[in-house]
Amino acid sequence: MRFLSAQLHRRRKELSTRWRRLSTGQQALLTLAHLRNGHPYAQLAAGFGIGTTTACRYVAEAVELLSALAPTLTPHWGRWETLSAGQKAANRSHAKIRALVEQAVATLKTWRLLRKLRCSTNRITSLVRAVLCLHLASSE
C-alpha cells in the first residue's frame, strides 16, 4: 500500500492536480481492495463515501500507473544460431527470471479479482500488470 501511495503522490505532483476527495493512501487502499478482493465499485464507493464513478476513475488511474511500472518480458524467437549476441543475452536473462514469472502467476491466482473478472476484456492486461507490479514491489 505504501508503494502505491507513493507512486500516486508522485503522479499527482507531476500532474499538479487540485484537491481530491481521497488522499493517495485512501486511493491506494481503494485500489487494493478492488484488485485483491474484487469488490464492486458501488460497494467500494459506499465504503469510502464517494460516488461510483469516482471510485471507478480512481481505480483506473492507479491501475494505469501500476501497469506502466510493470516490467516487460519480450524474448527473441528463432534458431539460436541466427540470433545476435544481444538477443542471446536477452534470452538468457529471460530464462533466469522465468521462475519469478511462474511465482507471479501462482500469486495472481490468489487475487480474487482475477478469478471472476467483471470488467471489459480491454482492461485485463492492465489489471494483471498492476497486480504483478504490486507483487514485485512487495517482494523487494
Side-chain angles (χ1 to χ4, degrees):
M1 188 168 116
R2 280 184 258 140
F3 171 77
L4 179 55
S5 180
Q7 294 300 320
L8 287 168
H9 183 72
R10 184 188 56 77
R11 178 73 173 152
R12 285 185 185 183
K13 275 190 157 188
E14 198 176 87
L15 295 175
S16 299
T17 58
R18 297 184 305 179
W19 177 86
R20 298 247 186 135
R21 180 80 174 163
L22 297 181
S23 68
T24 55
Q26 291 172 319
Q27 184 179 357
L29 184 60
L30 172 84
T31 302
L32 292 173
H34 177 68
L35 292 176
R36 187 70 163 151
N37 300 318
H39 294 309
Y41 294 123
Q43 186 179 8
L44 291 170
F48 282 89
I50 57 176
T52 306
T53 305
T54 304
C56 179
R57 191 172 57 245
Y58 279 178
V59 169
E61 177 186 26
V63 166
E64 289 297 320
L65 178 65
L66 290 170
S67 179
L69 295 172
T72 58
L73 304 172
T74 57
H76 300 281
W77 299 98
R79 296 187 56 85
W80 185 256
E81 300 82 26
T82 61
L83 297 177
S84 69
Q87 290 173 328
K88 289 179 182 179
N91 280 356
R92 279 190 208 100
S93 296
H94 182 265
K96 289 179 182 178
I97 61 172
R98 187 170 181 177
L100 289 175
V101 173
E102 290 175 0
Q103 181 185 9
V105 169
T107 301
L108 289 175
K109 292 178 183 179
T110 66
W111 289 72
R112 190 173 295 165
L113 170 77
L114 298 175
R115 289 187 202 153
K116 189 184 266 187
L117 287 173
R118 295 175 289 211
C119 66
S120 167
T121 54
N122 296 333
R123 292 191 53 224
I124 293 173
T125 302
S126 294
L127 287 171
V128 169
R129 290 183 65 154
V131 169
L132 177 61
C133 184
L134 287 171
H135 173 71
L136 292 175
S138 69
S139 65
E140 290 180 352

